[in-house]
Amino acid sequence: MRHSRVINHLGRTSSHRKAMLANMATSLILHKRITTTTAKAKALRTYVEPLITKSKEDSTHSRRVVFSYLKDKEAVAELFREISPKVGERPGGYTRILKTGNRIGDNADMCILELVDYNEAMLGGGEAEKTKSTRRRRAPKKKEEGAAESKAPKSPKVKPEKPEAAAGKTEIAESGPVTEE
């Protein structure tokens, strides 16, 4: 029976699982979006969200705690420098899982795991609706403008003439084969 067994072991040993989650969390922090299986994404969500919460308080202790999980200086610097100010007012739920279907080779459920505040397509969609103005019909033209346009002389449409060289070539082609006498 699996009473109180919450963690998904993902078919790996403890050390392999910790290393894999640390690498995936580093990739997520640096690239803001990764593609993985749904099971790994759900396990990674429980791994990375407490680290993002820890990064809201920028202190030496919290940096060391996060570094002990990630083991990458660049990811820790990115997390504290860019991600934590952007998610400072958010109370949780820093990641989003978007399911993309099944993988071709083994039919595994695939998804995209991304940081919520870094998806410009979803963020930009709401802003575009706010700036949209109402549609109005065009005002009808005034009679004075229409009369002025009708009084103006219209220039006749002139077809461009063919150049002489092009006309000569067509005459030769139309005359038929040339015979010597």
Side-chain angles (χ1 to χ4, degrees), residues 18-173:
K18 287 177 185 176
M20 182 191 67
L21 290 174
N23 289 333
M24 289 175 68
T26 299
S27 296
L28 178 65
I29 290 168
L30 294 178
H31 301 291
K32 313 299 189 268
R33 168 186 287 194
I34 59 171
T35 302
T36 183
T37 61
T38 306
K40 287 180 188 174
K42 288 179 180 178
L44 182 60
R45 173 185 271 180
T46 62
Y47 185 86
V48 77
E49 287 200 2
L51 297 180
I52 296 173
T53 303
K54 186 67 105 171
S55 73
K56 287 183 179 181
E57 179 190 346
D58 191 6
S59 64
T60 305
H61 176 68
S62 60
R63 280 183 181 261
R64 287 179 178 167
V65 168
V66 170
F67 182 77
S68 72
Y69 281 91
L70 294 180
K71 314 235 182 344
D72 187 6
K73 280 185 185 180
E74 295 173 9
V76 172
E78 177 86 11
L79 180 63
F80 280 88
R81 190 176 302 130
E82 294 184 20
I83 295 174
S84 64
K86 201 161 189 176
V87 299
E89 68 278 352
R90 185 179 290 273
Y94 311 110
T95 58
R96 176 186 296 128
I97 294 177
L98 302 170
K99 296 189 178 183
T100 58
N102 295 343
R103 188 161 49 197
I104 299 292
D106 60 354
N107 206 30
D109 291 331
M110 297 298 289
C111 67
I112 295 173
L113 180 69
E114 65 183 8
L115 295 175
V116 173
D117 293 324
Y118 283 90
N119 189 346
E120 286 80 21
M122 291 186 142
L123 293 176
E127 294 173 5
E129 293 174 358
K130 291 178 184 176
T131 60
K132 185 177 177 182
S133 62
T134 58
R135 292 182 58 175
R136 295 189 177 103
R137 293 189 318 184
R138 295 178 73 187
K141 291 185 178 180
K142 295 180 182 176
K143 292 182 181 179
E144 297 148 5
E145 291 177 8
E149 289 177 5
S150 63
K151 290 179 183 177
K154 294 183 180 178
S155 61
K157 293 183 180 178
V158 179
K159 293 183 181 178
E161 296 182 16
K162 294 182 181 178
E164 295 299 324
K169 289 181 182 176
T170 55
E171 292 176 2
I172 294 171

